[in-house]
Amino acid sequence: MRLATWNVNSLKVRMERVEEWLRLFSPDVLCMQETKLADDAFPGLFFETLGYQSVHVGQGQWNGVAILSRVGIDDVEVGLVPDDPPDAEARAVWATCGGVRVASCYVPNGRAVGHDHYRYKLRWLERLRRSLDERCDPGTPTAVMGDFNIAPDDRDVWSPAAFDGATHVSVPEREAYARILDWGLEDVFRRHHDQAGLYSWWDYRDGAFHKRMGLRIDLVLVTPDLAGASTRAFVDRNARKGKQPSDHAPVVVDVELP
């Protein structure tokens, strides 16, 4: 099974790029974030012509998450476990695809340490952990994928000094991320790549991509059974090149299922 995640940063703008990528890489499951579409504008019928069932949770010009699957989509759940007040933003969707419980997640950015959106981000991560506790079983193959807006450690940041005191690298964010892993998940990319300098996001400004000034914030977190069966993981940097790319590149993991 080929699993992939990609923050497309507007599916309307990136549709041609996504279609080309699907034809080239043929993932069995693709999680997308920042579709920036309402549900009635999501091109589900078009994806069917490519062989993919889909589920989408959108809110128009902001956020939006989707799962495409050519191995089935069952047991769909939207969002995280209930909270007060309810989360009105379209940031999580779950489905079972080919026997694997899959979540497509778009973690809040946080904006700045101490900002209301930063506190929202920490609450959201806590609710993601509670969702795993209440909805999932670590003994069932599970893959939580998406744009986490967290660089797990300093290898995942082009310059830790440049991000000192900033979001994406703060201790509370990384601790919240660690609690999600503690449920029984592994950052499977790191099973295959130990080195620094491997990123999935680059700012559009100041030639960041060509200067290799990036962050690794798009993650595939899987249960031990899937991690042990994984054969490779990679970031498709080529998808960040060319005409009108997303600022994120797809992350791909291949797993040999029995």
Side-chain angles (χ1 to χ4, degrees), residues 205-257:
R205 298 169 293 183
D206 301 325
F209 180 71
H210 300 289
K211 295 176 183 177
R212 299 185 177 273
M213 297 165 58
L215 300 174
R216 190 178 73 91
I217 56 177
D218 301 274
L219 309 175
V220 178
L221 311 182
V222 301
T223 42
D225 46 4
L226 295 179
S230 65
T231 57
R232 68 170 176 163
F234 62 94
V235 176
D236 178 25
R237 292 181 76 255
N238 286 329
R240 181 59 174 79
K241 302 175 183 177
K243 182 181 179 181
Q244 288 192 311
S246 170
D247 47 353
H248 296 253
V251 180
V252 182
V253 175
D254 289 336
V255 178
E256 290 288 345
L257 294 179

Side-chain angles (χ1 to χ4, degrees), residues 46-118:
F46 175 77
F47 287 126
E48 282 188 22
T49 69
L50 301 180
Y52 288 93
Q53 294 176 264
S54 61
V55 58
H56 176 257
V57 181
Q59 63 176 95
Q61 61 181 323
W62 307 110
N63 307 316
V65 287
I67 300 173
L68 306 185
S69 171
R70 59 179 190 176
V71 291
I73 285 184
D74 300 295
D75 305 319
V76 172
E77 291 183 284
V78 174
L80 304 178
V81 293
D83 203 356
D84 186 21
D87 189 352
E89 297 190 357
R91 292 186 175 274
V93 63
W94 309 67
T96 299
C97 306
V100 177
R101 191 62 177 162
V102 172
S104 179
C105 297
Y106 178 41
V107 176
N109 177 282
R111 298 181 187 168
V113 173
H115 191 282
D116 283 348
H117 203 258
Y118 177 81

